[in-house]
Amino acid sequence: MTRSRGRGAREEPRASLAAFLSFLFPGLGQAYNGERALATILALPVLAIIGTLLIVVLVARVGVIARLLDARFLIGLVVLDLALLGWRLVAIAQAHLRRRPFAARRWTTWATAGVLVLTLVMHLVPAWYATLAIDTLSTVAADTGDPGGDSGSDEGFDPLPPPSEQPEVTRGERVNILLVGVDFAPGRTTELTDTMLIVSLDPETGKTSMLSVPRDLYGAPLPDGRVWDAKLNSLMASANADPGQFPLGGPGTLKATVSELLDVPIHYFAAINIIGFKQAVDAIGGVDITNERLIDDPTYWNEFDVHTGFYLEPGVYHMDGSTAVAFARSRHGAGDSDFTRSDRQQQLLAAIADKVTAGNVILSLPSLLDAVKNTIATDVPESRLPEMAAALQEADTSAIERAVIQPPLVTPSSDPVSGYILIPDMEGIRQLADELLGDGGPTTTAR
């Protein structure tokens, strides 16, 4: 009896070793146990999956990255991940049971249980990430590109043109997106679009450009032929409040008006919440910014409407979300204006693009996805996001052409109702827009 217990004790570790080998790769534990046929059955499907993934990654690396913004692709990954999880759990448990049954008094049982838990974590965490991404995509983007389709956001976006009238990014057609910053900070009673800029991507050349439109621009041409005799930053809120006068709705009216102003197509619209923007910058670990001139704004109120002031000397900084927001919003320092602020906003967006496309945000993915979900709303159809992401991956974000519409393209003036306003030089503005966003070629001088 004593000899039998001793022989059993010597044999016990083999059960956990076999389980661990099948944890490393399904079938290895079975091969260790002498079950070669079963080892082959368990290993072949996994080998096929790994081989397929390697081929896809090597052949179409950019396409794979873009597909991570495709909800259907992500759902497929979740299903594959859970199927592989089940396959591995069966292989691990069978390898152990071939040697020894599970028993609470045996340490080998607990060792194999630990391996099983580790396997669960390895698969459930990526599945959770993918589920978060699917939820974010459905919240941020419109779920259809067809007329009359419902928007996936709460911004009240109106139907887009049919897909045939939207840019075919995969065929190298340029896409222009109107990006607006909307301040939903506590204590604010209005939702003015104090930040308005167009981000343009030319997939054929890989060039990207930005053009900022001043918030105080007065007399912009509306899409129905009327003129907006007020500051441009008030148009979206006014259009949202009066659908009878503005049947395109707030975002649709602003997008069409900016298109008329610049005489270039504006294909899509995206709104950014200032509080969520701070969270997004923090989620990616901050951004690196070179501040080229002294910022000394004692009047600055932060994103929570607290009077803090903002001071920043020239130099290179790694900014957290709160500092980045102040860098993008401050405008009352000596020598500062809406125009210098617009330039800093473009600089900040370029820095964010560099950080995100660097592929170093995996560990912060849950918080980043949550921040994006609460930060951005867009009418870009969800089905179009993958191709746009692919084009962005191939674009040269380190050499973004940037310009701000400022004097002499606008002339400062005043209005009894609106106060300080900017009168546009329509011809000059449209020439600049054509150079940056249309087919006029690259800019030749800084503006």
Side-chain angles (χ1 to χ4, degrees):
M1 179 68 69
T2 302
R3 185 164 49 198
S4 174
R5 284 198 300 269
R7 183 169 58 250
R10 289 194 299 272
E11 292 175 352
E12 263 193 15
R14 297 182 184 178
S16 291
L17 177 58
F20 180 71
L21 289 173
S22 278
F23 163 77
L24 294 177
F25 198 91
L28 283 182
Q30 284 68 28
Y32 173 73
N33 289 337
E35 299 177 296
R36 295 184 178 179
L38 181 58
T40 301
I41 293 173
L42 290 171
L44 283 179
V46 181
L47 286 171
I49 292 173
I50 293 175
T52 301
L53 291 176
L54 285 175
I55 292 173
V56 170
V57 170
L58 291 174
V59 173
R61 286 175 291 181
V62 173
V64 171
I65 294 173
R67 283 296 162 189
L68 294 179
L69 293 180
D70 187 334
R72 293 167 298 181
F73 181 77
L74 290 172
I75 291 172
L77 285 183
V78 171
V79 171
L80 180 62
D81 176 66
L82 294 180
L84 186 57
L85 168 62
W87 197 257
R88 294 185 69 193
L89 291 177
V90 168
I92 293 168
Q94 194 279 335
H96 181 106
L97 291 171
R98 180 67 176 82
R99 291 279 180 176
R100 283 282 180 178
F102 291 119
R105 68 179 184 275
R106 292 177 179 145
W107 68 266
T108 51
T109 296
W110 293 103
T112 298
V115 171
L116 290 170
V117 170
L118 179 59
T119 306
L120 279 169
V121 171
M122 289 174 61
H123 287 265
L124 293 182
V125 169
W128 176 50
Y129 279 20
T131 302
L132 287 176
I134 293 168
D135 182 50
T136 298
L137 289 171
S138 64
T139 301
V140 167
D143 60 9
T144 177
D146 296 327
D150 295 329
S151 170
S153 75
D154 295 327
E155 288 296 308
F157 293 133
D158 292 273
L160 287 168
S164 60
E165 297 180 16
Q166 297 176 38
E168 292 291 342
V169 177
T170 55
R171 298 178 184 175
E173 295 182 7
R174 179 187 289 269
V175 58
N176 297 326
I177 303 173
L178 173 60
L179 186 64
V180 304
V182 182
D183 206 337
F184 294 106
R188 303 297 168 88
T189 59
T190 57
E191 297 176 359
L192 302 178
T193 55
D194 284 346
T195 297
M196 292 175 285
L197 65 89
I198 297 88
V199 178
S200 183
L201 172 62
D202 185 348
E204 188 172 358
T205 63
K207 292 183 178 180
T208 55
S209 55
M210 295 182 189
L211 177 62
S212 291
V213 179
R215 64 176 191 158
D216 295 320
L217 192 141
Y218 185 94
L222 293 169
D224 59 6
R226 292 178 294 160
V227 173
W228 181 241
D229 288 327
K231 293 184 179 183
L232 187 58
N233 69 336
S234 66
L235 175 58
M236 190 174 81
S238 297
N240 274 330
D242 190 357
Q245 289 290 319
F246 302 96
L248 292 179
T253 299
L254 182 59
K255 185 169 65 172
T257 299
V258 172
S259 179
E260 291 286 338
L261 170 70
L262 304 179
D263 196 27
V264 296
I266 304 297
H267 305 104
Y268 301 117
F269 174 94
I272 297 180
N273 176 340
I274 195 69
I275 300 296
F277 179 78
K278 170 186 176 294
Q279 296 171 347
V281 172
D282 285 333
I284 62 175
V287 291
D288 297 320
I289 293 290
T290 300
N291 180 36
E292 298 178 351
R293 57 188 304 277
L294 175 67
I295 302 174
D296 185 6
D297 183 0
T299 69
Y300 178 71
W301 292 68
N302 70 12
E303 64 274 15
F304 301 108
D305 255 15
V306 177
H307 185 200
T308 61
F310 183 61
Y311 180 88
L312 192 69
E313 294 184 348
V316 179
Y317 295 90
H318 184 76
M319 295 184 179
D320 62 8
S322 183
T323 306
V325 168
F327 181 77
R329 296 176 74 218
S330 173
R331 65 188 179 94
H332 290 299
D336 260 339
S337 66
D338 279 334
F339 307 120
T340 58
R341 179 175 69 166
S342 294
D343 184 70
R344 291 199 300 266
Q345 291 169 350
Q346 293 183 359
Q347 185 182 357
L348 181 59
L349 285 177
I352 292 173
D354 284 341
K355 186 69 175 286
V356 172
T357 56
N360 55 1
V361 296
I362 298 301
L363 294 179
S364 61
L365 192 57
S367 57
L368 177 59
L369 289 171
D370 186 57
V372 169
K373 179 180 177 180
N374 296 320
T375 301
I376 300 175
T378 179
D379 62 1
V380 177
E382 188 177 330
S383 60
R384 298 262 177 165
L385 287 175
E387 63 188 47
M388 293 181 65
L392 183 60
Q393 283 292 129
E394 295 180 323
D396 183 9
T397 56
S398 64
I400 297 177
E401 294 184 273
R402 301 190 289 122
V404 176
I405 295 176
Q406 57 186 311
L409 298 180
V410 289
T411 302
S413 185
S414 63
D415 177 77
V417 176
S418 300
Y420 174 81
I421 59 174
L422 296 170
I423 306 300
D425 171 5
M426 299 294 292
E427 183 178 351
I429 289 174
R430 288 174 173 176
Q431 180 181 352
L432 172 61
D434 184 53
E435 293 174 350
L436 272 180
L437 315 174
D439 299 322
T443 54
T444 56
T445 60
R447 292 176 170 85

